[in-house]
Amino acid sequence: MGEETVNLLVEGGEASAGPPLGPTLAPIEAVDINEVVSAINENTSGFEGMEIPVEVVVDDETGDFEIDVGTPPASALLKERAELEAGSGEPNKIKLANLPLKDVIEVADLKMEDLVALDLRGATKEILGSAQSLGFLVEGKEPIDIQADIDEGRYEEVLSGEKDWKELPDKPEGGEIDTEAARQELEERREEREEEEEEEEEAEEGEEEESEEGEETEEEEETEEEVEE
């Protein structure tokens, strides 16, 4: 008895019989590819719009198969909870969202098996790092400051399991961020950077032209001196 293993990334609920799944499993007559696709879509439908790692193991004699569905990257899960498609291009200056700690712990709980952390406390701190990189606040504060709060034991009851994190507030302290205004600021800053880059390029080109003209002048003067001699 042999097995065929296929590893792929699929958009939640949108797997198909196309590559790489279909061509890989097509030679195995015993397997129903459409059944495999349906099973994948059923198991990933909760991650609509996100890419999910999936492993399919098929018995090439009986056609029986097993599906192991992973979880999306932490950044994708955070963006989904913030209802954003992308993070901030300048995370240290422009903040796009303010998440409740409950959302961060939920992502940490989902990603526990994929993280280096050994417990929920450490996993939450790792996810806070992802939130920092995206330009998100948590409870109205920089995620790095929430990490410091965790080190000081502020959320010990929740992170140790004494209190259920699911009972935490759904809304963050500090209120919501005006995402549209933040994106507008990002766009304006991007345009400013592009203008600055264009000006620098023009200045460099001008310096090169002056340098070339200077070299040509020197060559002409040397030629005239040689003629006079």
Side-chain angles (χ1 to χ4, degrees):
M1 181 180 72
E3 292 182 339
E4 187 74 38
T5 300
V6 184
N7 290 289
L8 63 157
L9 280 174
V10 301
E11 185 173 337
E14 297 293 333
S16 71
L21 185 64
T24 303
L25 298 184
I28 306 176
E29 296 181 359
V31 70
D32 184 335
I33 296 177
N34 289 328
E35 188 177 343
V36 175
V37 170
S38 295
I40 292 174
N41 287 336
E42 181 180 348
N43 283 277
T44 61
S45 60
F47 297 113
E48 183 179 353
M50 290 182 278
E51 287 195 331
I52 318 298
V54 176
E55 181 180 79
V56 182
V57 181
V58 180
D59 185 313
D60 56 16
E61 292 185 5
T62 66
D64 293 337
F65 62 87
E66 294 181 359
I67 295 174
D68 182 22
V69 177
T71 57
S75 59
L77 293 169
L78 289 170
K79 285 183 287 187
E80 188 252 347
R81 281 154 180 76
E83 298 183 354
L84 293 171
E85 294 182 358
S88 173
E90 298 185 40
N92 293 328
K93 296 180 180 179
I94 300 178
K95 305 302 179 182
L96 293 183
N98 182 24
L99 297 177
L101 182 61
K102 179 179 181 179
D103 282 355
V104 175
I105 296 177
E106 181 182 21
V107 172
D109 188 52
L110 283 170
K111 296 294 295 180
M112 273 291 288
E113 293 184 2
D114 301 328
L115 301 176
V116 176
L118 301 177
D119 54 25
L120 187 59
R121 184 185 298 99
T124 299
K125 290 180 66 177
E126 284 193 46
I127 302 304
L128 283 165
S130 298
Q132 184 82 36
S133 299
L134 290 168
F136 293 175
L137 297 178
V138 176
E139 299 295 349
K141 301 170 66 173
E142 292 281 355
I144 192 171
D145 292 331
I146 300 293
Q147 289 176 331
D149 288 342
I150 290 174
D151 288 339
E152 293 172 2
R154 179 174 177 184
Y155 302 104
E156 189 61 26
E157 283 187 349
V158 172
L159 297 176
S160 66
E162 293 179 30
K163 181 179 178 181
D164 189 350
W165 60 263
K166 295 177 183 178
E167 296 178 2
L168 289 172
D170 293 326
K171 299 292 184 181
E173 293 182 14
E176 296 182 357
I177 285 177
D178 187 339
T179 302
E180 189 58 36
R183 287 210 172 280
Q184 181 63 35
E185 185 178 353
L186 272 175
E187 180 62 22
E188 290 173 355
R189 293 174 72 92
R190 183 187 65 77
E191 292 175 355
E192 288 175 0
R193 285 196 304 273
E194 289 180 352
E195 290 177 1
E196 290 173 357
E197 289 172 359
E198 288 177 3
E199 290 174 357
E200 288 176 0
E201 288 178 2
E202 290 175 358
E204 288 176 0
E205 289 175 359
E207 290 175 359
E208 289 177 1
E209 289 176 1
E210 289 179 1
S211 176
E212 290 174 359
E213 289 174 358
E215 290 176 0
E216 290 176 359
T217 301
E218 288 179 4
E219 290 176 359
E220 290 174 358
E221 291 175 350
E222 290 175 359
T223 301
E224 290 175 359
E225 290 175 359
E226 290 175 359
V227 170
E228 291 175 357
E229 291 176 357

